[in-house]
């Protein structure tokens, strides 16, 4: 079912092959460095790249730009309480601002932080505070073909091994990311969330949910978890799952359906006050948090829209349809597909390249070179010194692209695979001093075949 019609359009164009070749070289074979005007279909991220609804645009125009005590903040606070079940909200300019506020408050030098799988900025924020980010994925997370319903789950067994090794007193924080972006957008079950809550209580740790894609996760729960198969509403599932956490960290640029914004939410008065003071230092006054009032107002509307049946059904169906087209074209992907993206199996796509030659990044560059398509590598280049599969994420911006755009991506990927033997590996030429963030700004160069 198509849930939307277009009320505004933007002209896009496919640059010439010569221009794409030149742009890629000038970007140091890192697509983050490409100019957006040189990209035809942009699947780099679903973060802040979607289209807002007419209701969100109306809210944006009505936004209250008062420095303190704005009406827009009241609207956001009400939406977070209604949709997510938390009444104390600290707004930030985006998700990583929320991570800075919360993890800067909770993590100290020498701490060990457990997560089902840390994504890039989460890992970096923990490390920046002197902590050690440790992943606790379930075994199926790294099996690209396993037909398991909740491959994004947090492994309690792995977490216990870590605690036995380092001591519970050194593990102050446990995080569950829903959906699990590093595990191909795979969902996390409510039952697993309950178990993580109990585990955190057992070791006296704070339990945080990274709720960026909470609505997509709730939709998967209703489909796949027997306890919720009786037609429970998305918002009811979301509130229950999120309610097991002591705090939330949220990028509104995902399931907030906006182009900017995020927040920390909690019911803990003491933690709320600590986060609020840190937010004043790094983000802004606690009722705007680095956002314009109009962005705060638009996110309040977006949170409610994210749990609407028509929206979330359309969202998941588009991703599944895209995955099916890629599989039909013989493109190897991570299955089952997640909620916000399709992840390509770069090792299977480019078997002649070793992990030292960054097959994922080579595939990203080939997709851009062939069809002006921008994706992102989430393998050995983005996550050095971790044991992760070589993946390329094609993230679909919300309510933005149509079937014809995705068909172009599929056709591009098919041509790339037909000529895979001509694709060379890459090596790092320059990189920043923070290894967890090197994929954002590093430059690479081709390795001669």
């Amino acid at each position: 079912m198509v849930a939307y019609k277009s009320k505004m359009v933007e002209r896009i164009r496919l640059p010439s092959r010569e221009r794409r070749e030149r742009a890629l070289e000038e970007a140091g074979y890192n697509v983050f460095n490409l100019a957006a005007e040189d990209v035809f279909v942009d699947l780099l991220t679903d973060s802040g790249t979607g289209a807002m609804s007419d209701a969100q645009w109306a809210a944006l125009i009505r936004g209250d730009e008062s420095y303190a005590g704005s009406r827009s903040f009241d609207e956001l606070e009400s939406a977070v309480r209604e949709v997510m079940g938390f009444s104390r909200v600290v707004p930030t300019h985006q998700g990583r601002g929320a991570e800075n506020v919360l993890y800067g408050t909770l993590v100290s030098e020498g701490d060990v932080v457990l997560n089902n799988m840390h994504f890039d900025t989460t890992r970096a924020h923990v490390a920046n505070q002197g902590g050690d980010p440790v992943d606790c994925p379930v075994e199926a997370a790294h099996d690209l073909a396993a037909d398991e319903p909740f491959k994004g789950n947090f492994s309690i067994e792995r977490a216990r091994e870590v605690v036995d090794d380092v001591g519970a007193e050194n593990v102050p924080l446990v995080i569950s990311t829903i959906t699990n972006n590093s595990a191909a957008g795979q969902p996390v079950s409510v039952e697993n969330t309950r178990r993580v809550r109990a585990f955190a209580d057992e070791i006296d740790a704070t339990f945080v949910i990274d709720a960026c894609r909470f609505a997509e996760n709730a939709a998967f729960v209703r489909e796949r978890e027997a306890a919720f198969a009786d037609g429970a509403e998305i918002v009811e599932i979301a509130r229950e799952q999120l309610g097991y956490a002591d705090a939330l960290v949220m990028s509104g640029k995902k399931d907030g359906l906006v182009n900017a914004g995020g927040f920390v939410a909690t019911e803990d008065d003491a933690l709320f006050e600590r986060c609020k003071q840190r937010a004043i230092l790094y983000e802004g006054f606690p009722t705007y948090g680095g956002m314009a009032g109009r962005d705060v107002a638009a996110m309040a509307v977006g949170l409610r829209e994210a749990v609407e049946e028509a929206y979330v059904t359309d969202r998941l169906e588009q991703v599944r349809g895209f995955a099916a087209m890629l599989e039909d074209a013989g493109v190897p992907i991570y299955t089952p597909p997640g909620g916000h993206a399709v992840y390509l199996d770069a090792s299977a796509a480019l078997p002649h390249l070793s992990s030292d030659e960054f097959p994922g990044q080579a595939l990203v560059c080939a997709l851009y070179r062939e069809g002006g398509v921008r994706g992102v590598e989430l393998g050995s280049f983005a996550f050095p010194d971790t044991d992760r599969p070589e993946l390329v994420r094609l993230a679909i911006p919300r309510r933005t692209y149509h079937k014809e755009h995705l068909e172009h991506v599929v056709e591009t990927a098919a041509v790339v695979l037909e000529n895979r033997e001509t694709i060379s590996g890459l090596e790092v030429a320059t990189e920043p001093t923070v290894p967890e963030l090197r994929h954002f700004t590093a430059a690479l160069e081709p390795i001669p075949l």
Side-chain angles (χ1 to χ4, degrees):
M1 180 182 71
V2 178
Y4 306 99
K5 65 178 182 180
S6 299
K7 297 181 71 173
M8 181 167 57
V9 297
E10 177 186 355
R11 181 72 178 270
I12 60 174
R13 65 178 183 84
L14 177 61
S16 68
R17 177 74 178 228
E18 180 183 7
R19 173 59 193 161
R20 299 196 302 271
E21 292 274 10
R22 186 168 67 253
L24 193 59
E25 183 177 0
E26 291 171 353
Y29 298 91
N30 185 342
V31 294
F32 278 99
N33 298 329
L34 290 171
E37 65 181 4
D38 286 328
V39 178
F40 186 51
V41 178
D42 200 344
L43 306 183
L44 180 72
T45 181
D46 63 318
S47 179
T49 56
M52 292 199 300
S53 69
D54 52 356
Q56 286 182 285
W57 279 101
L60 186 142
I61 293 171
R62 295 194 304 265
D64 180 0
E65 302 302 335
S66 300
Y67 184 92
S70 76
R71 181 183 66 255
S72 295
F73 175 73
D74 292 341
E75 293 165 356
L76 175 63
E77 194 175 48
S78 175
V80 173
R81 184 185 302 112
E82 175 186 325
V83 174
M84 309 177 87
F86 285 76
S87 61
R88 290 161 178 79
V89 181
V90 181
T92 62
H93 75 283
Q94 66 178 82
R96 69 193 59 179
E99 290 179 326
N100 178 41
V101 167
L102 185 60
Y103 303 145
T105 299
L106 294 175
V107 181
S108 300
E109 185 77 31
D111 287 343
V112 174
V113 176
L114 308 180
N115 197 324
N116 49 354
M117 289 182 79
H118 290 81
F119 202 59
D120 48 20
T121 60
T122 314
R123 178 175 293 276
H125 276 295
V126 170
N128 189 56
Q129 291 298 121
D132 180 14
V134 177
D135 293 341
C136 299
V138 294
E139 188 173 337
H142 288 166
D143 185 342
L144 278 62
D147 187 19
E148 298 289 338
F150 293 105
K151 293 163 75 170
N153 276 355
F154 184 108
S155 172
I156 305 293
E157 294 73 19
R158 169 61 180 147
R160 290 193 191 285
E161 292 175 358
V162 177
V163 170
D164 288 345
D165 185 43
V166 305
E169 68 278 6
N170 294 312
V171 185
L173 181 60
V174 176
I175 306 168
S176 185
T177 304
I178 63 173
T179 55
N180 190 335
N181 196 6
S182 295
Q186 297 296 302
V188 174
S189 71
V190 173
E191 175 58 28
N192 183 251
T193 306
R194 291 192 195 104
R195 292 184 62 214
V196 177
R197 165 78 273 170
F199 169 72
D201 288 341
E202 179 186 321
I203 65 171
D204 194 26
T206 299
F207 177 34
V208 172
I209 290 180
D210 185 326
C212 293
R213 300 176 178 90
F214 75 99
E216 294 169 8
N217 198 89
F220 281 120
V221 165
R222 187 170 65 182
E223 290 181 355
R224 301 177 182 180
E225 195 162 356
F228 299 92
D230 59 354
E233 293 186 1
I234 298 298
V235 68
E236 294 173 349
I237 298 170
R239 278 201 301 260
E240 175 171 346
Q241 186 162 32
L242 299 176
Y244 291 108
D246 295 304
L248 309 179
V249 60
M250 176 72 181
S251 169
K253 298 169 69 175
K254 283 83 167 178
D255 276 356
L257 309 187
V258 287
N259 306 125
F263 56 83
V264 174
T266 185
E267 290 293 287
D268 185 319
D269 289 337
L271 179 59
F272 172 65
E273 289 299 326
R274 291 171 65 196
C275 287
K276 190 163 67 172
Q277 296 306 313
R278 185 172 175 90
I280 293 172
L281 180 62
Y282 286 100
E283 293 290 318
F285 193 74
T287 56
Y288 76 89
M291 284 184 284
R294 53 186 173 270
D295 294 320
V296 177
M299 183 158 57
V301 175
L303 285 172
R304 291 188 171 95
E305 291 182 348
V307 293
E308 291 177 355
E309 294 293 329
Y311 162 74
V312 75
T313 298
D314 181 81
R315 174 68 170 160
L316 296 190
E317 285 183 352
Q318 185 182 42
V319 175
R320 287 170 178 155
F322 183 36
M325 287 192 293
L326 285 163
E327 284 193 293
D328 288 345
V331 180
I333 68 171
Y334 188 115
T335 59
H340 71 285
V342 177
Y343 290 65
L344 309 186
D345 180 354
S347 294
L350 305 179
H352 61 290
L353 299 182
S354 69
S355 60
D356 292 339
E357 297 173 297
F358 304 132
Q361 189 66 14
L363 182 56
V364 165
C365 291
L367 291 169
Y368 175 73
R369 184 186 295 110
E370 181 59 39
V373 175
R374 178 158 64 172
V376 68
E377 189 266 8
L378 294 178
S380 52
F381 177 53
F383 298 105
D385 303 320
T386 63
D387 181 23
R388 299 197 182 187
E390 302 290 346
L391 299 176
V392 169
R393 186 186 70 183
L394 301 178
I396 304 179
R398 293 162 178 82
R399 305 185 293 204
T400 300
Y401 287 122
H402 302 293
K403 185 178 180 181
E404 293 80 3
H405 299 105
L406 301 182
E407 287 174 342
H408 171 79
V409 177
V410 173
E411 292 166 4
T412 297
V415 172
V416 166
L417 263 60
E418 287 175 7
N419 300 284
R420 70 184 81 194
E421 296 300 331
T422 66
I423 298 173
S424 65
L426 297 163
E427 60 185 1
V428 175
T430 63
E431 61 183 317
T433 57
V434 182
E436 294 84 4
L437 301 177
R438 75 172 180 180
H439 59 299
F440 287 114
T441 58
L444 302 98
E445 54 189 19
I447 300 170
L449 284 169

